[in-house]
Amino acid sequence: MKIKDLLAYEAIDVTASAANKEEIINKAIDLMVKSGKISDRQAYAKKVFEREEESTTGVGMGIAIPHGRDAAVKKAGLAAMVVPDGVEYASLDGQPVHLLFLIAAPEGGDVHLEVLAKLSRMLMDEKLNANLQAAKSADEFLQILTDAETALEGPAEETAPANTNAPLILAVTSCPNGIAHTYMAAENIEKKAKELGYRVKVETRGSGGAKNVLTAAEIAEADGIVVAADAKVPIDRFDGKRLIQAPVSDGIHKPEELIARSLDPNTPLFKGNGAGADDAAGAKESGWRSVYTSLMNGVSHMLPFVIGGGLMIAISFLIDGFFVDMNTLDEAERALFGTINPTAAFFKNVGGLAFGLMLPVLAGYISEAIADRPGLAPGFIGGLIAANGKSGFLGALLAGFLAGYLVNLIKKMCSKLPANLEGIKPMLIYPLLGIALIGAIMTYLVEPPVGWLNTQLNFWLESLNGSSGVLLGALLAGMMALDMGGPFNKAAYVFGTASLAAGNYSIMAAVMIGGMVPPLAIALATYLFKDRFTEDERKTGPTNLIMGLAFITEGAIPFAASDPLHVLPACVAGSALAGALSELFGCTLMAPHGGIFVVLTIGNPLMYLVALIAGTIVGALILGFSKKKIVKATQSASDEDLETAQAAA
């Protein structure tokens, strides 16, 4: 497939103008629609602008390459625009855009990726850019591109310079979407290395998979290695080499600097198996960034279990709420709410199984991010122990990190074993020692102190009962939000159900409202403060709304896990206010679960709703104003800047 197969004459405008970035992108989308490759403009435009929110597609040098992949794309295509007067685009280099290519990618099939990679490389040629910007017609524009593509496909240049003793530079480039930035960084690194007289080979890891993969022999010979990537790439293979890691944008704009650093004798040698050089400028990620990326690996894999399982449980409560009269049930039957109707029982049981995997998956993939595949099994087991014990969410977080670093230690200790035992390490030694050790640590070192803490909390709560209803309501509701399934949450819930069995219905009302506020506050915050949350976080807003209404506090766990210093205080404050107001208004609850779907069992339901709304608004406002605006991670930044942007702290 050629570029001319993707770019139609009617999708080219060489005299475009626009007042701002949004307008120029919309004009490009109109060109794409005009070419007949889009079946639903609104759906495709949504994907293009969602991609733009992740990070700017203004790559610098006056070039922008917005793109979107959607089922609305009938056939892969390009639209091209020359903007003679330029348009402000928030580009990586701060310069206005004069040349824009819009990419339309269908959901299935990657035939077009090779052409898009070729286009990304071609656009790094300043002479070609100037010629394209000077084109007077669509015909001339397309002819210039076609001629450049033909020249590119002519006799290949020698990868190595005449001096075969010149340093060998190896590089890996990758970006989250794998469409444009990956190949532009590869082109600039390769071009700059050749200009400097070095031999060079670049591995690209784009949407179509890894291309031009580096061989073991090449790695052994390499003098310097550059990894310019915003996505996870395998780097353990570079053990013992000078390795520089940087954002993919640095590969586009700072290739000479990256190459020089990779050849600098003062650059520490990289150590594989999860341990890097102890240098912020070297290969190892900084401490917080390493912790953050490992945590996000766990959270991203956990989300489908939280969302799928949580929604199924919410549906079960909704079904029982329609078909069951709670006032006719005794205490034992109320405890079965969500499983009384057979259809409700199906949703509750399947949703419960999915929910039961949430914490093991969280811990397993945190560990996997730290220790690669050998860390997966110990992490899962550590998370399972936490889920079945008393440590809950916080225990699973701890289990994930403990398992990952523990497996790395085991791998290091086994590195001296004879070579003929290499094959049994990942299949026998790592899982056996990893599972046994994390099991012992969780069972004997983590669970006992958390169990003791739980007992003490229950004694303390019992001593407060009756002394101050409003204070107790605020305390219990705040505890429900403090660790979301951990010892504080469990202690508050057990105390609430015990009070319910004893006929004290106001305590259970405060407990449930405290568990409802966190996901509701987060859902509202993602709507009111969109620039404080990533695109993926904003997408979970409606899900958290449903989970909050169903009293599924765990919907807030991904947010609490990724940013506990801002999320937890906001949720605790909102929940505590709601619990205090519930007690103040004299609200009661006769069911141990169900959220808004058991409204018929709530005493003074109107004021209960007022308390819930008040707590939700306060929690959302505290969270929104305390978090900093998201800084696009693809902008050139130091590790410290990137940490600040990611942690919003």
Side-chain angles (χ1 to χ4, degrees):
M1 185 180 289
K2 305 289 187 181
I3 289 177
K4 65 180 181 181
D5 298 326
L6 296 176
L7 181 59
Y9 289 102
E10 57 267 27
I12 302 173
D13 182 357
V14 297
T15 59
S17 63
N20 53 48
K21 176 179 179 177
E22 182 177 358
E23 183 180 346
I24 198 67
I25 292 178
N26 272 312
K27 286 188 175 183
I29 293 172
D30 289 338
L31 287 176
M32 190 71 75
V33 173
K34 186 179 178 181
S35 71
K37 294 184 171 68
I38 306 297
S39 61
D40 185 337
R41 185 194 188 283
Q42 184 176 0
Y44 173 66
K46 180 181 178 183
K47 288 298 177 69
V48 173
F49 282 105
E50 283 178 354
R51 169 61 187 89
E52 209 63 40
E53 289 179 4
E54 294 176 9
S55 60
T56 181
T57 55
V59 297
M61 299 172 57
I63 303 168
I65 311 181
H67 44 273
R69 182 193 294 269
D70 192 76
V73 179
K74 296 187 292 184
K75 184 179 179 182
L78 290 171
M81 307 179 78
V82 176
V83 190
D85 295 331
V87 60
E88 185 59 40
Y89 201 91
S91 298
L92 293 175
D93 60 1
Q95 299 301 309
V97 163
H98 292 276
L99 186 61
L100 181 146
F101 282 88
L102 173 67
I103 297 171
E107 281 193 337
D110 291 325
V111 177
H112 63 291
L113 290 177
E114 183 179 347
V115 177
L116 300 181
K118 187 191 307 179
L119 174 65
S120 300
R121 289 176 177 268
M122 289 167 57
L123 290 177
M124 293 295 95
D125 185 335
E126 295 180 3
K127 183 178 179 180
L128 174 61
N129 290 341
N131 290 339
L132 289 172
Q133 292 180 40
K136 301 302 182 184
S137 66
D139 285 342
E140 183 182 354
F141 187 95
L142 187 56
Q143 189 61 51
I144 292 171
L145 267 182
T146 302
D147 291 344
E149 183 178 21
T150 302
L152 185 68
E153 294 174 346
E157 294 182 35
E158 290 293 327
T159 300
N163 180 10
T164 56
N165 293 321
L168 173 62
I169 303 297
L170 301 182
V172 182
T173 62
S174 180
C175 64
N177 288 275
I179 292 180
H181 296 70
T182 298
Y183 306 104
M184 299 174 84
E187 175 68 13
N188 273 10
I189 291 172
E190 183 175 331
K191 183 168 66 175
K192 182 56 65 175
K194 289 181 178 179
E195 287 178 7
L196 296 171
Y198 302 146
R199 295 176 293 153
V200 61
K201 181 177 179 180
V202 184
E203 173 181 306
T204 56
R205 304 182 74 85
S207 297
K211 305 293 184 185
N212 207 30
V213 176
L214 306 176
T215 67
E218 289 166 339
I219 294 172
E221 186 186 355
D223 297 281
I225 295 175
V226 173
V227 175
D230 292 332
K232 186 178 179 182
V233 300
I235 60 173
D236 271 352
R237 51 186 166 155
F238 303 132
D239 183 48
K241 294 293 180 178
R242 294 189 183 90
L243 171 65
I244 296 298
Q245 286 184 289
V248 70
S249 59
D250 283 0
I252 297 173
H253 299 289
K254 302 178 181 179
E256 185 170 1
E257 176 186 324
L258 298 181
I259 292 170
R261 288 169 57 196
S262 73
L263 294 175
D264 187 345
N266 294 320
T267 298
L269 299 180
F270 173 67
K271 292 292 292 180
N273 296 330
D278 191 16
D279 184 350
K284 185 182 180 180
E285 291 183 315
S286 61
W288 165 249
R289 189 177 179 189
S290 174
V291 170
Y292 183 85
T293 53
S294 300
L295 179 60
M296 287 301 96
N297 193 57
V299 170
S300 64
H301 283 87
M302 176 185 71
L303 271 175
F305 296 90
V306 175
I307 294 172
L311 288 177
M312 292 197 71
I313 293 173
I315 291 171
S316 74
F317 294 143
L318 180 62
I319 293 172
D320 263 1
F322 277 124
F323 293 101
V324 176
D325 183 358
M326 292 291 293
N327 294 314
T328 65
L329 303 180
D330 58 27
E331 297 295 336
E333 290 172 326
R334 286 182 184 137
L336 298 175
F337 184 76
T339 60
I340 299 173
N341 181 280
T343 304
F346 164 77
F347 281 96
K348 182 71 180 297
N349 291 336
V350 176
L353 290 173
F355 238 51
L357 287 173
M358 176 180 64
L359 295 183
V361 168
L362 172 67
Y365 280 96
I366 289 176
S367 180
E368 187 261 354
I370 296 169
D372 293 323
R373 189 175 297 179
L376 198 56
F380 262 97
I381 297 303
L384 192 61
I385 293 173
N388 291 331
K390 299 178 180 180
S391 57
F393 159 57
L394 294 179
L397 282 178
L398 184 60
F401 286 103
L402 285 173
Y405 293 122
L406 182 65
V407 170
N408 274 341
L409 178 61
I410 294 171
K411 286 157 68 174
K412 187 174 182 179
M413 293 171 61
C414 292
S415 63
K416 305 299 182 183
L417 292 177
N420 58 358
L421 296 179
E422 196 68 30
I424 70 169
K425 289 181 185 179
M427 298 301 296
L428 176 62
I429 298 176
Y430 297 157
L432 175 61
L433 293 180
I435 291 174
L437 290 175
I438 195 63
I441 291 172
M442 291 297 295
T443 302
Y444 299 111
L445 297 181
V446 175
E447 287 294 328
V450 173
W452 175 86
L453 178 61
N454 240 342
T455 303
Q456 298 305 310
L457 283 172
N458 277 291
F459 285 150
W460 183 46
L461 290 174
E462 289 174 3
S463 70
L464 288 176
N465 192 14
S467 61
S468 175
V470 174
L471 175 62
L472 184 60
L475 179 63
L476 289 169
M479 289 173 63
M480 289 296 294
L482 186 57
D483 57 357
M484 304 176 190
F488 288 92
N489 176 284
K490 285 183 177 179
Y493 184 73
V494 168
F495 188 76
T497 53
S499 299
L500 184 67
N504 187 339
Y505 301 129
S506 66
I507 297 297
M508 192 65 228
V511 167
M512 189 169 79
I513 205 171
M516 294 169 70
V517 164
L520 290 175
I522 287 171
L524 181 59
T526 61
Y527 177 77
L528 296 178
F529 304 94
K530 295 182 179 180
D531 57 355
R532 265 70 169 175
F533 299 90
T534 66
E535 179 191 358
D536 288 340
E537 288 173 334
R538 292 195 301 273
K539 287 180 179 178
T540 65
T543 302
N544 269 278
L545 176 64
I546 297 173
M547 289 188 178
L549 292 175
F551 182 36
I552 302 175
T553 316
E554 289 86 350
I557 283 181
F559 292 83
S562 62
D563 189 8
L565 295 180
H566 294 106
V567 174
L568 291 180
C571 290
V572 169
S575 292
L577 174 63
L581 291 176
S582 174
E583 286 284 345
L584 182 65
F585 297 151
C587 301
T588 59
L589 175 65
M590 299 175 65
H593 214 303
I596 204 69
F597 302 115
V598 293
V599 65
L600 295 178
T601 72
I602 298 175
N604 200 1
L606 180 60
M607 297 312 294
Y608 195 69
L609 180 61
V610 170
L612 180 63
I613 292 173
T616 298
I617 292 174
V618 167
L621 291 177
I622 293 175
L623 178 57
F625 286 119
S626 64
K627 283 177 71 71
K628 293 183 180 180
K629 293 183 179 180
I630 294 292
V631 178
K632 304 308 181 185
T634 54
Q635 295 175 347
S636 298
S638 65
D639 282 352
E640 181 179 350
D641 293 334
L642 184 56
E643 293 164 27
T644 303
Q646 291 172 322

